[in-house]
Each structure stands twice: as C-alpha cells, then as structure tokens.
C-alpha cells in the first residue's frame, strides 16, 4: 500500500511543480535528514574546515525521526547525510529500520570507513537501501591526500566485503553508488574511480563540482569548462563499458552561467529573455530538510535560519507554513533571495520537462515494486531452503 501512496504523491507533486503552487497538494516527496554532524575524517574540501558552518553539535534523536516517520510512506527518497558521518550515530541501524518499516528506502552518504563486515551483514538483513560512498581518488595517494584519515585499501576492502555478503545472501541490497567531489587533484583519475566502482558493483557514479567552503577548496575548483566537459565525457565513455550511469551535478554555476553554456535544445531557449524566465526550485516544491537539532530549513544550502522545528510542529503544518509559501511565491514572481542567487538547484520552470520527469518517476516506482517483490522472494528461498536463487 505504501508503494501506491508514493505513486499518488508523485503525481500530486507533479501537479504542484507544473503549476508552481505556493500551497501544495502533495506531501513532501523527499526527506533529507542530517542525523549527526560529527566525523572521523578531516577532508580538505569539507565544509567542516570552515568556521562558518556549525559542527559537532551531536545527533538527531531516534525519537525525533520516529515522530515524523509515518510521512516517509509518501516519499520517494529519505536521505541520511549532512555535515558528518552517519555510521557514527549511536542508533544508526534503528534509524534505518524505522525508515524501512514505513515502506521507504533509506539512502545514506558515507565515507565507507566504518562499513565493517558486521555492518555489511546488518545492511543486507535490513532489505532495501542505498549506500552512497564518497570516493575522491582512484589511487591511494590521491584518495588519502584528499580524504585525510581514511585508508584507500581499507575502504575498498569494505566495499568488496559488502559485495561478497550480498552475493552469499543472494541479495540485491543495499544498492551501492559512488559520489565524487571533482577537483583539480582528482580530475585525471575519474576513469580509475569508474574502474573501482565496477569492481565494487556500484550502479551509479555521481560527480559533483567542488563548492568553495574554504580557501583550500576554492583553489581546487575546476573552472575550465572545456577541461570539465572533456573529463565528464571520458568518464561517461568508461562507465558505459560497465553499464554504470554517470550523474553530473554542476555545483557552483549559477542559473545564467548554466543557461549560457548549455546546448540550445529548443527555440524557446533563444526567444525567452532573461527578465521573463519563470523560476523553479525542486527543493522548495518537494524536499523537507531537517537538521541535526530538529530545526527545519528550506534546504541544505539555506543560511537564513529555520522555518520551524519537528519537535514543535507537524510535518504537515511546516510544509505549507507561511515561510514556505512566501518563498515559493517569491520565486514564482522572479524575486530571488540571496541564498538562492548562486545556487545550482535554481532553474528555469519547464512544465513539459516536469511532466516528463513525473511520468518517468512513476514508471521507476512501478519497476522498483517489481524488483522488490523479486528480491524478497529470493530472500525467502535463501533463508528457508538454504540455497541460492536462480539468476
């Protein structure tokens, strides 16, 4: 039943986004939970290197997540990430179970250092989940120079152990993806990272441009668009050999820069003057962001303070409160807040594209439902008959 709720909510969200309603019909389609802001690494490009970003404040309590958990059954994404390493949360696996019990699929961004054999077994036992591992180098030297405190071979071995446990249990899950923070130091190693992703059975490699959280990071940003395009194309070619998908997130490039440098795909791209563009932000129309204190911000890039707290109010009341409605209305009238002016997420409102993406997402949900049925059928064979399912 939760799956049909997701499909219905996805369709409602498509209507909200197409019409750019300021009071939404749909419930949040995506949840982003900062479950902690402590970390065991000291990565050179991380926001933790800047005094402007809060850190080491603690953990989002399990009870706070349980308070909003029934909303997850309508969401297509429940992400655990933030300014820390999620596996350090003392109740990490109870949080994952809380999410999966609602019929949602948790997605975790991790540095992979704590993905031990026992953790791998628990993840496989959990069922449907996605583990996104930060991999910023294809060689030991580059990886460890960027991700200070991590051991390249240990992280690789952790991923290979997870692969082995999945094979032994006949399990599809957790799905493993890689995320790469692209910088001058590692742009020449994208193909080596793709090779590692293949070895570890990663399905997707997400490549995101560096954000200038600190002076060291700012000096490492790849600004040459020709070099950037060439590196992404080479990565796509390498990934295609393995059937791996490449997602590139153009962080750091504002709306005008992205429009100016993209390929012209329709006459409307040429004819629409800048002052007539209709603005859109998928975060504001579909994502509910909870920080480690329980405060709700408009998104992870927002610095203007919280709009409410899940300890004081309900998701329903917050989602359509005055702050959210005013921000949606401002974007609809092309009034851009300071926090949004250089954000890579801000885009042109393209109704046809939104409709196409909504249809695609519904189809993916239907495919996922079939895949989940097959997965749990295979698990029953392994658990009760003691033999591997047929391929």
């Amino acid at each position: 039943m939760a799956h049909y709720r997701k499909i219905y909510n996805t369709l409602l969200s498509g209507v909200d986004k197409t019409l750019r309603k300021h009071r939404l019909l749909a419930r949040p389609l995506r949840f982003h939970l900062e479950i902690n802001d402590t970390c065991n690494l000291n990565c050179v490009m991380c926001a933790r290197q800047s005094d402007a970003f809060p850190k080491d404040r603690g953990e989002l309590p399990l009870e706070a997540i349980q308070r909003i958990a029934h909303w997850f059954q309508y969401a297509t994404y429940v992400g655990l990430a933030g300014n820390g390493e999620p596996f350090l949360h003392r109740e990490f696996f109870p949080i994952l179970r809380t999410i999966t019990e609602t019929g949602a699929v948790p997605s975790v961004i991790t540095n992979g250092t704590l993905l031990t054999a026992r953790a791998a077994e628990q993840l496989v036992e959990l069922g449907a989940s996605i583990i996104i591992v930060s991999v910023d180098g294809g060689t030991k030297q580059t990886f460890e120079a960027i991700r200070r405190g991590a051991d390249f071979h240990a992280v690789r071995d952790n991923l290979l152990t997870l692969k082995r446990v999945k094979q032994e249990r006949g399990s599809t899950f957790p799905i493993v993806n890689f995320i790469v923070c692209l910088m001058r130091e590692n742009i020449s190693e994208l193909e080596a990272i793709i090779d590692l992703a293949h070895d570890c059975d990663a399905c997707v490699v997400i490549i995101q441009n560096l954000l200038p959280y600190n002076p060291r990071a700012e000096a490492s940003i790849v600004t040459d668009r020709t070099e950037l395009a060439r590196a992404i194309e080479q990565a796509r070619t390498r990934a295609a050999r393995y059937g791996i998908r490449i997602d590139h997130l153009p962080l750091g490039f504002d709306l005008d820069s992205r429009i100016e440098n993209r390929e012209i795909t329709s006459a409307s791209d040429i004819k629409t003057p800048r002052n007539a563009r209709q603005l859109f932000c998928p975060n504001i129309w579909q994502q509910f962001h909870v920080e480690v204190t329980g405060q709700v911000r408009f998104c992870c890039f927002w610095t203007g303070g919280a709009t409410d707290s899940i300890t004081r109010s309900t998701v329903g009341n917050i989602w359509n409160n005055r702050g959210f409605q005013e921000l949606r209305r401002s974007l609809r009238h092309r009034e851009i807040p300071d926090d949004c002016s250089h954000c890579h997420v801000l885009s042109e409102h393209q109704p046809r594209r939104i409709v196409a993406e909504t249809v695609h997402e519904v189809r993916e949900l239907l495919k996922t439902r079939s895949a989940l049925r097959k997965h749990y059928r295979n698990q029953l064979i392994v658990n009760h008959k003691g033999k591997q399912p047929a391929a």
Side-chain angles (χ1 to χ4, degrees), residues 225 253 255-264:
R225 292 182 181 276
F253 298 118
L255 179 60
D256 286 338
S257 297
R258 283 183 280 123
I259 292 174
E260 180 182 347
N261 288 276
R262 75 182 179 194
E263 293 183 359
I264 302 299

Side-chain angles (χ1 to χ4, degrees), residues 9-26 29 278-282 284-286 328 332 348-359:
N9 199 43
T10 298
L11 293 171
L12 284 181
S13 181
V15 173
D16 288 334
K17 290 180 288 189
T18 300
L19 300 179
R20 289 189 305 159
K21 298 173 67 67
H22 54 85
R23 183 174 183 84
L24 305 186
L25 300 170
L29 196 60
Q278 302 299 305
L279 299 178
F280 175 70
C281 173
I284 307 306
W285 268 273
Q286 67 182 17
R328 293 171 190 137
R332 180 165 184 167
E348 289 180 285
H349 184 245
Q350 299 176 327
R352 290 184 180 179
R353 181 174 180 177
I354 291 172
V355 170
E357 289 174 347
T358 300
V359 171

Side-chain angles (χ1 to χ4, degrees), residues 143-163:
F143 181 92
E144 294 179 4
I146 295 172
R147 307 197 68 77
R148 295 182 300 194
D151 183 297
F152 175 77
H153 293 305
V155 172
R156 183 193 62 187
D157 290 347
N158 288 346
L159 291 168
L160 293 176
T161 296
L162 176 59
K163 175 182 176 180

Side-chain angles (χ1 to χ4, degrees), residues 191-239:
E191 290 176 294
I193 293 173
I194 301 298
D195 291 340
L196 179 63
H198 170 65
D199 293 341
C200 299
D201 272 1
C203 302
V204 180
V205 175
I206 305 161
I207 302 173
Q208 62 178 30
N209 293 5
L210 191 61
L211 287 173
Y213 287 126
N214 59 67
R216 169 70 183 276
E218 189 168 6
S220 295
I221 294 176
V222 179
T223 56
D224 187 324
R225 292 182 181 276
T226 301
E227 180 186 15
L228 177 62
R230 181 168 54 247
I232 297 299
E233 183 58 32
Q234 290 173 346
R236 291 191 193 281
T237 300
R238 187 66 148 241

Side-chain angles (χ1 to χ4, degrees), residues 107-128:
S107 178
V108 182
I109 298 180
T110 174
N111 58 39
T113 60
L114 303 177
L115 190 53
T116 61
R118 176 56 186 148
E121 291 173 355
Q122 289 178 281
L123 286 171
V124 173
E125 292 169 0
L126 181 75

